[in-house]
Amino acid sequence: MDYQYIIVEKIDGVGLVRFNRPKALNALSPELMEELGDALLAFDADPEVGAIVLTGSERAFAAGADIKAMAKASATDMLLNDLISKWETINHIKKPVIAAVSGYALGGGFELAMACDMITASESAQFGQPEINLGIIPGFGGTQRLTRAVGKALAMEMVLLDRRLSAEEARQFGLVNHVYPVETYLDETLKLAKKLARQAPVAVRLGKEAVDKAFELSLREGLDFERRAFHLLFATADQKEGMAAFIEKRRPNWQGK
């Protein structure tokens, strides 16, 4: 499929999506988000893809949502047009998604990165929720995911006072998995994604789901879900292969079933 606002390719089992609005610092317009949703669903359904990477440019992952698309909207317009629904697709992707961030990840760009399963960053990355400067607040999970990640005090400062985090600060607060030099951040992220893509697919899917449940369920409910997923994996060919390979001291040959 031909896209106007993103560039898509497959690299050794990894689906790579690059945002492609350089003049707008990859602002996440409704059109871009619709294309992103289509690409994510296509990669999620592709048996040759085991992990997905989202990235922008060295200058900007995404500098926010497209303000021009919202500036004159009324509350009724926002409700009826439901622009946020275009962002929801990422929440339903079953394969692991990594955000590879360089430069600005602000507003909706930061929220999109936090909606991914992991975040890697270049040393130039800058994270923030500056919506307060526009007279609004984050609308795609910024107040919720950020608070769960860094705690109430810092989240309040970021949401209410536009506190920005450097890449290293974000790593220290648990928002970012790894920080790399600008020159190598995408290559290093692809190495991580390729390693993910080589893992047992069904176990990866259930492992991702189980970790996500930790943010949605009580501890007792989460433990029950984990136990059911653990038991279910003993019905897979990959469990038999993985344990046999361990005993025989060889690499497993995953079948994804």
Side-chain angles (χ1 to χ4, degrees):
M1 182 175 179
D2 292 329
Y3 295 110
Q4 183 176 355
Y5 300 106
I6 60 175
I7 299 170
V8 174
E9 60 183 309
K10 287 195 293 187
I11 306 172
D12 296 335
V14 175
L16 176 62
V17 180
R18 300 175 189 261
F19 307 136
N20 188 33
R21 295 190 70 204
K23 293 182 180 179
L25 294 178
N26 294 324
L28 302 172
S29 66
E31 295 80 10
L32 186 153
M33 293 307 297
E34 188 165 345
E35 291 188 358
L36 174 60
D38 289 344
L40 287 170
L41 290 172
F43 281 143
D44 208 32
D46 189 338
E48 295 181 354
V49 171
I52 302 168
V53 172
L54 307 185
T55 195
S57 65
E58 289 186 1
R59 186 181 179 195
F61 174 75
D66 192 337
I67 304 305
K68 292 180 181 179
M70 298 184 289
K72 296 183 179 180
S74 66
T76 304
D77 292 335
M78 294 300 289
L79 178 64
L80 296 180
N81 293 335
D82 198 13
L83 296 178
I84 297 298
S85 67
K86 297 180 185 298
W87 296 57
E88 290 290 335
T89 302
I90 194 169
N91 295 331
H92 304 291
I93 300 304
K94 299 176 179 65
K95 294 172 182 175
V97 183
I98 305 173
V101 176
S102 186
Y104 298 114
L106 303 177
F110 186 23
E111 291 176 290
L112 181 61
M114 287 191 290
C116 295
D117 302 301
M118 301 181 195
I119 303 175
T120 61
S122 82
E123 292 170 339
S124 73
Q126 182 182 138
F127 300 90
Q129 298 286 175
E131 288 90 345
I132 197 71
N133 300 324
L134 303 174
I136 59 172
I137 65 170
F140 183 59
T143 64
Q144 303 303 300
R145 291 190 178 95
L146 180 61
T147 305
R148 284 165 168 77
V150 305
K152 177 181 175 180
L154 181 57
M156 283 289 190
E157 192 172 357
M158 294 182 71
V159 171
L160 302 183
L161 290 171
D162 189 18
R163 160 83 182 270
R164 307 284 175 92
L165 296 181
S166 68
E168 186 55 35
E169 286 176 320
R171 189 191 66 78
Q172 291 173 2
F173 283 114
L175 281 164
V176 164
N177 293 78
H178 302 284
V179 177
Y180 303 113
V182 175
E183 298 79 15
T184 61
Y185 84 99
L186 184 55
D187 288 339
E188 293 294 339
T189 305
L190 287 171
K191 288 180 184 177
L192 182 64
K194 290 173 186 178
K195 184 175 181 179
L196 262 176
R198 292 193 295 268
Q199 303 289 73
V202 182
V204 166
R205 173 175 170 174
L206 287 177
K208 167 178 169 168
E209 192 172 353
V211 172
D212 283 339
K213 291 296 183 185
F215 292 93
E216 301 166 5
L217 304 176
S218 68
L219 177 59
R220 181 69 265 165
E221 291 170 325
L223 290 170
D224 288 343
F225 179 89
E226 178 191 76
R227 189 68 51 83
R228 289 194 297 271
F230 175 74
H231 289 159
L232 178 60
L233 286 166
F234 280 78
T236 65
D238 282 348
Q239 174 268 326
K240 301 297 184 289
E241 168 63 12
M243 292 191 176
F246 177 83
I247 293 168
E248 297 164 11
K249 295 180 171 54
R250 60 174 175 82
R251 290 189 178 183
N253 180 25
W254 306 123
Q255 300 176 48
K257 59 183 181 179

